[in-house]
Amino acid sequence: MRSPTIELTSEQIAFFHREGYLSIPALTTAEEVAQMCDIYDHLFQVKAGRDQGDHLDLTTTDEDDQEPALPQILNPSKYAPELKATLLRANAEAVARQLLGPEIIYRGDHAIRKPPRSGAATPWHQDEAYNHPAMAYDEISIWIPLQPATLENGCMWFVPRSHTGDILPHHPIGNNPRIIGLEVDDPESRTADAVACPLPPGGATVHHCKTLHYTGPNLSSEPRRAYILMFGLPPKPLEAARNFYWLEQQRTKWQQRVQAARQAQHQPQHQR
Ligand code: NI
């Protein structure tokens, strides 16, 4: 593990807790971003993790013979372990510790590649809407673009202070239960004061799992690569489970692949 080189100011820490997000100009070096780009593009080229249920398309029905609109790889460092040894990883963990405290655990990594000119928007959502309804979460996602993130290519947008309430009702994109991606109900009424966060390559935004966020379509001529690291305090059981009915309605190809991969490994099945 590399030694971290970043220390947040008390103003940055206070901003994150008050607003539910934070923008950091540099989390790693240009040199490391270039190395990561090569690793990243290769993983998408070979659809790493497809059979393991770790490759999916968020905004379509994700058929095997379909060109993905918004391809994602869950746990990319499982397929490219060199991602674990980056300065980026060390600095992201340092940021998580400074924001949430020393008990943080690593919750995984994630890669989202928006193809040039055809990338779909990732609609407004709260990450916790995908989580288990019977658990309480205090988690963050650290989102790092591997090229500039701009209004044109799909930078992050946040609704300030949206992390202070509970999880809002969500539905699968287009109300299609075969689509994995979720969208908050009635986004127009909830996002009037949203803030865009353009970033240089290797910069980062941090958001809480309850913060409403969105990225636009990629209208540029280059792919928009985002690498995401997630950290959190250990989830705690709630006294009463919440009703995340939108998860119960979903029937996706991805769920089928995850199930098949688990059966192949003789692992007991559990709900995501
Ligand atoms: Ni999200």
Side-chain angles (χ1 to χ4, degrees):
M1 188 73 163
R2 305 273 293 268
S3 299
T5 55
I6 190 160
E7 188 155 7
L8 298 177
T9 64
S10 53
E11 286 79 16
Q12 285 175 307
I13 295 170
F15 183 95
F16 172 79
H17 289 296
R18 191 179 66 240
E19 305 295 327
Y21 74 97
L22 180 66
S23 194
I24 300 173
L27 207 53
T28 185
T29 61
E31 191 189 0
E32 190 171 84
V33 169
Q35 289 163 358
M36 288 183 65
C37 258
D38 292 341
I39 300 168
Y40 192 99
D41 285 347
H42 177 74
L43 290 175
F44 279 94
Q45 217 165 39
V46 301
K47 285 196 172 182
R50 184 77 184 168
D51 295 338
Q52 292 87 341
D54 281 338
H55 179 284
L56 55 100
D57 188 3
L58 194 81
T59 59
T60 72
T61 51
D62 197 17
E63 314 292 332
D64 279 328
D65 55 358
Q66 202 173 34
E67 190 55 37
L70 189 45
Q72 316 208 354
I73 296 173
L74 307 177
N75 310 305
S77 58
K78 203 160 108 187
Y79 306 98
E82 57 272 41
L83 291 172
K84 294 177 190 166
T86 55
L87 175 65
L88 181 69
R89 169 77 178 261
N91 275 346
E93 197 172 315
V95 164
R97 193 171 294 115
Q98 289 164 49
L99 291 176
L100 296 180
E103 319 85 78
I104 50 143
I105 49 177
Y106 171 67
R107 300 282 287 163
D109 61 348
H110 189 171
I112 308 179
R113 188 178 189 277
K114 284 200 182 183
R117 293 202 180 93
S118 60
T122 308
W124 285 102
H125 68 280
Q126 295 165 296
D127 290 338
E128 196 174 326
Y130 288 91
N131 287 1
H132 200 290
M135 303 296 284
Y137 296 90
D138 196 356
E139 296 185 347
I140 58 169
S141 288
I142 303 178
W143 185 96
I144 304 108
L146 302 185
Q147 70 294 299
T150 63
L151 291 174
E152 189 194 16
N153 76 358
C155 68
M156 269 282 193
W157 290 74
F158 300 106
V159 177
R161 306 189 185 200
S162 52
H163 66 308
T164 54
D166 203 356
I167 299 308
L168 299 162
H170 283 65
H171 57 270
I173 295 169
N175 282 309
N176 183 342
R178 294 168 64 215
I179 290 181
I180 299 161
L182 295 174
E183 178 177 33
V184 73
D185 288 2
D186 197 15
E188 296 78 15
S189 72
R190 309 181 192 277
T191 57
D193 56 352
V195 176
C197 287
L199 283 172
T205 57
V206 185
H207 67 269
H208 190 267
C209 56
K210 290 186 172 67
T211 306
L212 261 179
H213 60 285
Y214 160 91
T215 62
N218 179 6
L219 306 174
S220 78
S221 55
E222 299 292 324
R224 195 235 54 193
R225 306 169 187 86
Y227 180 63
I228 299 132
L229 287 157
M230 292 161 290
F231 298 89
L233 298 176
K236 291 188 199 126
L238 286 166
E239 265 175 47
R242 296 166 290 181
N243 183 5
F244 288 0
Y245 53 87
W246 49 88
L247 294 181
E248 286 155 31
Q249 293 163 357
Q250 281 184 310
R251 301 283 179 273
T252 65
K253 291 270 173 190
W254 174 57
Q255 288 168 329
Q256 289 174 14
R257 288 198 305 277
V258 170
Q259 205 167 42
R262 283 203 186 114
Q263 275 162 3
Q265 291 171 18
H266 304 288
Q267 277 180 0
Q269 213 180 302
H270 60 87
Q271 284 201 308
R272 74 184 174 101

